[in-house]
Amino acid sequence: MVAQAGSSGLHATLLNERSRLLRFLAARGAGHEAEDVLHDLWQKIASAPERPVADPISYLFRAAENHMRDIRRATSSREKRQFDWQAMGDAPEDTPAGERVLVAREQLQQVQSALAALGSRVDHIFRRYRLDGVGQADIASELGISLSSVEKDLQKAYRMLAELRTKLNTE
Amino acid sequence: MTTHQSELIEAARLWAMRVADPAFDAWDELSAWLELSPAHLAAYEAAVEDDEWAAATLAKAQATRDDPHQRRS
């Protein structure tokens, strides 16, 4: 597909894909407000600096996914602030910065050793995928292994890291 | 935890993992899966948070390594 430059090409795609995007946004948490959310999303896209988009459909769905993540993050930090405010009676206002740095460093070490424990291939594949943003098919050809091997290795890493996060949160 | 719950968590984690692929294009399938039950969205969001936490934690290490001023002995 030829890259469509600028927001006019994207807008044409948005109109074509409108019902699919609305369905996705509704299922992704926007519910009855999917139309408003799509409108806000378009404002955001149209106001961003123009750059060539190789695959407009993918671009719009990805933007919709990211937009729902932004909304969720904003909502949960607002709720957290409210909660902190209510709980402030005898609680310290915030965790001291030094303590936060220590916690972050300890979490990093735990993540690194959890990945290392799964073996160097799993470790490498997870970093390539999540830090370098390389897709599964490209990783498979880089390493000369099958796509399903890459997916299985990633699943191991994801499962381990989710367990680790649960453990750290309940400590 | 019931089998049903752990299967749901596993399925949600798989979706979050696949969506992280820049070449992911199964958006309609994801919509269909999310529509099956409100529990699917909650599980998916939890899986996305796990994924973003792990990536952000590792990214901080890389940023520290890349910036010599941040380096600690």
Side-chain angles (χ1 to χ4, degrees):
Chain A
M1 189 191 284
V2 179
Q4 301 185 44
S7 59
S8 58
L10 272 179
H11 198 244
T13 307
L14 182 128
L15 293 176
N16 279 335
E17 302 298 325
R18 190 179 158 77
S19 62
R20 283 175 71 203
L21 285 163
L22 285 174
R23 180 194 178 194
F24 174 70
L25 287 169
R28 188 60 187 76
H32 299 301
E33 289 165 29
E35 300 242 0
D36 291 341
V37 171
L38 185 60
H39 178 81
D40 293 347
L41 173 61
W42 176 250
Q43 298 302 315
K44 198 152 110 179
I45 293 171
S47 66
E50 289 199 4
R51 57 192 180 91
V53 172
D55 182 345
I57 297 179
S58 271
Y59 180 88
L60 290 172
F61 275 98
R62 179 65 64 187
E65 169 70 22
N66 291 339
H67 190 64
M68 294 314 295
R69 291 186 187 199
D70 290 346
I71 290 175
R72 165 133 177 125
R73 261 194 296 271
T75 311
S76 56
S77 63
R78 194 162 54 236
E79 279 166 3
K80 193 185 167 293
R81 273 201 305 278
Q82 201 146 17
F83 177 80
D84 290 347
W85 179 255
Q86 283 162 355
M88 227 173 61
D90 52 351
E93 200 172 310
D94 204 354
T95 317
E99 196 177 312
R100 277 202 306 273
V101 170
L102 275 180
V103 169
R105 198 174 299 162
E106 197 189 308
Q107 290 200 348
L108 171 62
Q109 278 165 359
Q110 300 244 30
V111 167
Q112 285 172 330
S113 52
L115 280 174
L118 294 171
S120 60
R121 194 176 87 178
V122 176
D123 193 352
H124 172 80
I125 289 176
F126 183 79
R127 287 166 190 271
R128 206 83 186 98
Y129 191 59
R130 278 315 264 118
L131 291 182
D132 304 335
V134 180
Q136 293 186 32
D138 291 332
I139 296 173
S141 53
E142 276 176 13
L143 299 180
I145 59 176
S146 69
L147 190 55
S148 75
S149 301
V150 172
E151 187 166 55
K152 279 190 196 118
D153 280 1
L154 281 174
Q155 272 183 277
K156 282 184 205 161
Y158 269 72
R159 198 175 297 131
M160 170 76 102
L161 292 167
E163 282 165 10
L164 174 62
R165 182 163 181 248
T166 307
K167 193 185 123 224
L168 292 172
N169 284 344
T170 50
E171 258 171 14
Chain B
M1 195 184 290
T2 64
T3 314
H4 179 74
Q5 269 174 317
S6 64
E7 277 170 8
L8 173 58
I9 289 168
E10 192 68 31
R13 188 150 59 223
L14 204 55
W15 276 115
M17 185 182 112
R18 288 176 175 159
V19 168
D21 196 316
F24 177 81
D25 64 356
W27 300 104
D28 292 335
E29 289 83 344
L30 176 57
S31 299
W33 182 78
L34 290 170
E35 284 165 355
L36 291 175
S37 151
H40 287 197
L41 177 61
Y44 176 71
E45 285 186 326
V48 164
E49 274 180 26
D50 284 345
D51 171 55
E52 291 190 333
W53 167 78
T57 304
L58 281 175
K60 268 178 221 146
Q62 222 164 38
T64 309
R65 202 166 51 230
D66 292 345
D67 179 359
H69 299 293
Q70 296 273 315
R71 195 172 288 159
R72 300 280 189 275
S73 56

